[in-house]
Amino acid sequence: MHTKNYSHTGIMNFIALFLWILAMAPLPANAAAPQVRTQGQGFYRMTLGDFEITTLLDGTHPFPIDKVMIEVSKEEIARDLSRDGLTAPVQGSINAFLINTGPKLILIDTGAGTLYGDCCGHLLANLRAAGYQPEQVDEVYLTHLHKDHVGGIFLDGKMAFPNAVLRVSATDADYWLTPANKATAPEFLSTFFDSAIVSVAPYIKAGRFKTFSANEQLIPGITSMATPGHTPGHTSFLVESQSNALLVWGDIIHVAPIQLQNPKASVEYDNNPLSAQRYRRELLDLAAKKHYIVGAAHIAFPGLGRIRKNKHTYDWIPVNYEGAPGK
Ligand SMILES: [Zn+2]
Ligand SMILES: [Zn+2]
């Protein structure tokens, strides 16, 4: 009995020593958490009176500011970017705007689709993630026929929005869908003509292509506003419900940190830089004066904000985030 007790104590001591050694040993390190490097799904919702607005992100791409900005000095560009902690090239968002008026579902712009490579073409996935189907879209309005606005309209040679009517400014349609205009356009725009023609072809074939004129009410609550310069028929859209207004302005601004400081700064893609400058200034002043919410194709996703006018410059004030808008 005595021997047994002694032996039991020995075992207990051994266990205690073992536990002590375990406790003193360094814990095995957790495996390093791999960085994820993706974003959430690219849609953002807000309400505008009776309308529901959903921004859809098509993707972001490195915008080669050094190469494409004109009418602004390299020093000014460097100063503007450094003020905002940016360096060239700056990632540019490609945003489109889905408007549910109640009776109608309207999409303004469609992203680049397959025309810009892997960066982009996420609009359809984001539309589905936002709770809609491409078949539900009644009408698609384009601000202009550049690749990053028209490219998402087709998929594998077919209509990406099979029940939609496609509406484009008559002036832009005349310009981009006439191959002869390639001859007078800069060389780097040559593929833009081809892309526009290929993109809209399925809608023309199906009898679902319809032009609009300047300043036309397209449906109750959405009016076209001719803002030419970036392209001959560049169009902005004023979306109004109750006493609320959203100005979907297309490519009025490409790089906010530069062009809000100096609206003369243009891009080499501008078909008529003087007219582009004029309408940039006019729309900035209009948005500031009327306190419109602006829907911007290329300002950082979701591209929704207001414009504040200073003496000679403008500020972009992003909309305030709402977790469950209108609920
Ligand atoms: Zn453009
Ligand atoms: Zn664009």
Side-chain angles (χ1 to χ4, degrees):
M1 191 68 178
H2 181 80
T3 310
K4 202 177 173 186
N5 278 347
Y6 182 81
S7 169
H8 181 254
T9 308
I11 290 167
M12 291 304 287
N13 283 344
F14 178 78
I15 292 171
L17 179 68
F18 179 72
L19 290 174
W20 180 79
I21 290 168
L22 264 187
M24 296 308 287
L27 287 168
N30 284 327
Q35 295 180 342
V36 180
R37 303 202 172 198
T38 55
Q39 293 285 20
Q41 282 162 325
F43 69 88
Y44 179 86
R45 199 103 62 194
M46 59 166 276
T47 52
L48 184 88
D50 293 334
F51 294 178
E52 179 193 73
I53 312 292
T54 309
T55 299
L56 300 171
L57 179 69
D58 191 55
T60 71
H61 67 119
F63 195 76
I65 287 173
D66 291 341
K67 236 183 77 195
V68 302
M69 295 297 301
I70 56 170
E71 313 254 343
V72 55
S73 72
K74 297 260 181 253
E75 293 72 30
E76 193 178 326
I77 290 174
R79 194 172 64 234
D80 289 340
L81 293 186
S82 115
R83 186 193 301 110
D84 283 11
L86 298 168
T87 46
V90 172
Q91 287 291 316
S93 294
I94 301 180
N95 304 315
F97 300 89
L98 185 70
I99 297 153
N100 189 338
T101 68
K104 293 276 180 197
L105 188 61
I106 309 294
L107 178 63
I108 302 183
D109 284 340
T110 65
T114 55
L115 302 177
Y116 268 27
D118 291 346
C119 68
C120 305
H122 305 299
L123 183 133
L124 284 179
N126 286 326
L127 178 130
R128 290 190 172 98
Y132 288 102
Q133 299 301 321
E135 294 76 17
Q136 293 175 299
V137 175
D138 295 302
E139 301 194 12
V140 178
Y141 305 155
L142 299 181
T143 56
H144 59 301
L145 281 168
H146 276 170
K147 289 179 187 180
D148 51 327
H149 300 257
V150 70
I153 199 82
F154 78 110
L155 192 64
D156 301 327
K158 299 197 180 78
M159 296 187 287
F161 305 95
N163 298 316
V165 171
L166 173 60
R167 303 207 60 187
V168 179
S169 129
T171 313
D172 236 39
D174 282 350
Y175 183 72
W176 294 104
L177 304 181
T178 306
N181 286 331
K182 257 204 250 188
T184 53
E187 173 71 29
F188 65 84
L189 284 177
S190 161
T191 61
F192 282 64
F193 288 90
D194 305 333
S195 297
I197 290 167
V198 168
S199 303
V200 305
Y203 294 84
I204 293 177
K205 197 172 156 206
R208 291 182 167 273
F209 181 82
K210 206 173 151 194
T211 57
F212 55 74
S213 55
N215 312 317
E216 179 179 331
Q217 189 185 69
L218 302 174
I219 56 160
I222 305 186
T223 312
S224 68
M225 288 172 65
T227 49
H230 179 57
T231 63
H234 184 273
T235 301
S236 306
F237 298 94
L238 190 61
V239 181
E240 294 171 290
S241 177
Q242 309 285 10
S243 51
N244 304 278
L246 166 73
L247 175 63
V248 179
W249 74 15
D251 279 12
I252 288 291
I253 294 277
H254 285 85
V255 187
I258 297 169
Q259 291 172 297
L260 293 182
Q261 294 297 313
N262 176 3
K264 270 193 158 183
S266 301
V267 292
E268 65 175 357
Y269 302 96
D270 288 341
N271 173 268
N272 179 340
L274 274 183
S275 184
Q277 287 166 5
R278 178 188 150 194
Y279 281 101
R280 184 155 40 253
R281 182 71 80 176
E282 270 190 22
L283 261 63
L284 284 165
D285 284 345
L286 181 71
K289 191 171 148 217
K290 302 265 195 180
H291 303 290
Y292 287 155
I293 296 175
V294 172
H298 299 311
I299 293 182
F301 177 77
L304 292 166
R306 288 188 172 81
I307 295 295
R308 178 169 55 212
K309 186 174 185 180
N310 307 312
K311 205 167 174 194
H312 302 295
T313 64
Y314 302 86
D315 292 325
W316 172 257
I317 318 292
V319 291
N320 189 35
Y321 180 80
E322 288 180 67
K327 290 238 164 131

